[in-house]
Amino acid sequence: MRIAVIGAGIVGITTAWELAEDGHEVTVFERRSSIAEETSFANAGVIAPGYVTPWAAPGMPAKVLGGMLSAHAAVRFGRGVWRCLPWIRRYLAACSRPVHEANRRAMQALARYSRERLDAIAARHRLDYEQAPGYLVLLRDERDLERAQGGVRLLQDVGTTVHVLDAAACRAVEPGLSAGTPLRAGLHLPNDGVGNCRLFAHQLRALAQPAGVSFRFGVEVLPLDTTEPLRLRWCVAERPAASPAAPAEPQEGRFDGVVLCAGVAAAPLAHALGLRLPLLPVYGYSATMPLRDPAATAGLGPRSGLMDERYKVAITRLGQQVRVAGSAELGGQADRMAEPAQATLYKVLQDWFPGAGDVSRARLWKGGRPMLPDGPPVVGPSPVPGVWLNLGHGSSGWALSCGSARLLADRVAGRAPAVDDTRLGYARLTDPGHLG
């Protein structure tokens, strides 16, 4: 079949790859000038299936409200948060324990499968995407440790290997950890790890093109037409004001299938078809900088990936660089950087690896993670024949991408997927019983 994939982030690239593997003729449409230019550009890089979990969880609203006055709050609200109220209402409904438990199981099953797919692709093609094994969750004091006990049981229940380490054992895993920052314990997940999402996306593009995947960059796909949903119309993406040009006539092409992988931008594309996609950009921040002494792997900077549980900030080693990432901002703007969020990133990096990164050369990033109110993505057919969805992965797009792509390709081919996708269907977004 001739299939159009709209969106060239990590989800779009992996989807195009898996469809091409099945013999389809795939064209990827992307409004940016290259792949992985938005949410996939500078994410935390964490691949930890055990820590993939819905944001909608019992007790989470109270935690968010309790931390609002903190200078280093993990969740922040921008000036436009009032526009998020319908989404927040649905989010609150999904925080019930039964809904959360079902969604958590679905997401973690998909995450484990996705890790298997990622490892298989990397091994088959000998890819090096700056991956490093191991993930360590840092618990600063006894209270942090007590709060983590429930999470440890949940991880063990789903078969995730997790070790509770004392401070000395944590520093044996990550020798560069500062001795001056109090550390009570840590949770070590040796089978998880980190990797450079954007680098992997570019490597997969290099493999996909000889396999028959074509790319159209710098084009804006127009909203789908309810009378002919498989006839795409697109035009040149908006040019900067400094280089105006006469608008070109829209081009068009007909496909046998269309897959929406465009994150939040997919909602207006599908609106005319009657598809309601409650996607919200939850903004995250990162700062990436070179290590001051790349040769001193053990003595300076992280070996792999860490999470400061109190501040919900990740620190990852990506080749000769260190990245610190975190924050969840609702109602913000893509082009407005919140200084308090940046300050939290630098604080956590300084606490654990003082002087490891060259902050003067840090590259700041802010990206809108496309999140659905209950947590899991939507992967599979839409109610419109021939229109498929692979959307709403939130902050877990990197961890879920390869599995979601294979699941989507199997559904297109009429094969049963390798994991239960009951909680990943579009129907749950229109069925109140699935959301709370």
Side-chain angles (χ1 to χ4, degrees):
M1 292 195 296
R2 295 184 66 242
I3 299 179
V5 172
I6 304 176
I10 187 61
V11 173
I13 288 296
T14 52
T15 298
W17 165 258
E18 294 288 2
L19 289 170
E21 284 279 274
D22 282 357
H24 299 292
E25 181 184 339
V26 182
T27 303
V28 179
F29 293 85
E30 170 57 45
R31 62 184 178 180
R32 301 293 185 179
S33 60
S34 186
I35 66 171
E37 289 289 298
E38 296 190 35
T39 308
S40 304
F41 186 81
N43 56 33
V46 175
I47 311 167
Y51 258 73
V52 171
T53 188
W55 204 37
M60 182 60 74
K63 289 181 181 179
V64 172
L65 292 175
M68 283 182 62
L69 300 180
S70 169
H72 298 291
V75 180
R76 303 176 184 277
F77 297 94
R79 296 177 183 177
V81 69
W82 61 273
R83 300 188 188 91
C84 307
L85 293 179
W87 186 94
I88 291 173
R89 283 195 292 269
R90 299 186 71 170
Y91 161 80
L92 293 173
C95 285
S96 69
R97 189 167 299 279
V99 174
H100 168 74
E101 287 298 313
N103 288 336
R104 179 181 62 83
R105 286 193 295 271
M107 291 181 71
Q108 290 185 340
L110 179 60
R112 290 193 297 273
Y113 177 58
S114 187
R115 179 61 188 265
E116 293 171 5
R117 293 296 303 172
L118 171 61
D119 289 346
I121 294 170
R124 174 183 167 193
H125 298 283
R126 300 180 181 179
L127 302 182
D128 180 0
Y129 52 95
E130 299 178 334
Q131 62 267 44
Y135 187 56
L136 182 63
V137 180
L138 302 173
L139 307 170
R140 290 178 178 246
D141 57 23
E142 192 67 31
R143 187 179 181 187
D144 288 348
L145 178 58
E146 290 175 1
R147 288 178 171 177
Q149 295 303 324
V152 172
R153 289 191 290 272
L154 290 175
L155 291 170
Q156 293 171 337
D157 287 346
V158 297
T160 299
T161 301
V162 55
H163 305 298
V164 181
L165 307 181
D166 62 20
C170 288
R171 291 191 166 92
V173 172
E174 286 285 356
L177 284 169
S178 172
T181 298
L183 176 60
R184 173 63 182 85
L187 309 181
H188 186 226
L189 291 82
N191 298 328
D192 292 346
V194 298
N196 190 324
C197 174
R198 184 168 180 259
L199 177 58
F200 177 82
H202 277 273
Q203 292 174 342
L204 205 56
R205 175 195 175 184
L207 295 172
Q209 286 179 303
V213 178
S214 59
F215 292 85
R216 289 180 176 269
F217 293 112
V219 298
E220 196 84 41
V221 175
L222 303 179
L224 302 183
D225 188 336
T226 186
T227 60
E228 293 185 84
L230 302 184
R231 181 174 65 90
L232 288 194
R233 299 172 68 244
W234 63 90
C235 59
V236 176
E238 185 177 351
R239 294 182 174 89
S243 57
E249 288 295 318
Q251 300 179 57
E252 63 178 55
R254 199 180 191 288
F255 296 86
D256 302 309
V258 173
V259 188
L260 299 182
C261 301
V264 175
L269 293 178
H271 188 81
L273 302 180
L275 303 180
R276 302 296 180 260
L277 301 171
L279 290 159
L280 180 72
V282 177
Y283 291 100
Y285 291 76
S286 75
T288 307
M289 65 205 78
L291 289 166
R292 289 188 183 276
D293 184 4
T297 304
L300 189 65
R303 284 179 169 178
S304 182
L306 308 95
M307 167 67 74
D308 187 309
E309 182 67 12
R310 180 174 301 178
Y311 297 105
K312 303 296 184 184
V313 169
I315 304 172
T316 51
R317 172 72 176 262
L318 299 174
Q320 307 307 321
Q321 302 182 105
V322 61
R323 177 172 294 164
V324 55
S327 191
E329 180 183 286
L330 283 72
Q333 298 178 14
D335 58 353
R336 178 170 293 176
M337 304 288 284
E339 291 187 7
Q342 299 172 46
T344 300
L345 299 184
Y346 291 129
K347 168 190 164 48
V348 171
L349 182 60
Q350 178 65 19
D351 282 353
W352 296 115
F353 297 101
D358 187 349
V359 177
S360 67
R361 297 167 62 189
R363 301 184 304 281
L364 293 172
W365 171 86
K366 179 179 182 180
R369 299 165 293 198
M371 192 174 290
L372 290 163
D374 60 340
V378 171
V379 185
S382 79
V384 180
V387 177
W388 301 80
L389 307 173
N390 196 356
L391 299 161
H393 298 74
S395 58
S396 301
W398 176 213
L400 298 175
S401 57
C402 291
S404 297
R406 186 65 254 166
L407 189 156
L408 188 284
D410 284 341
R411 282 300 188 191
V412 169
R415 293 188 293 262
V419 296
D420 182 1
D421 61 351
T422 305
R423 301 291 301 186
L424 307 179
Y426 174 80
R428 81 174 199 272
L429 301 181
T430 59
D431 179 2
H434 277 71
L435 284 179

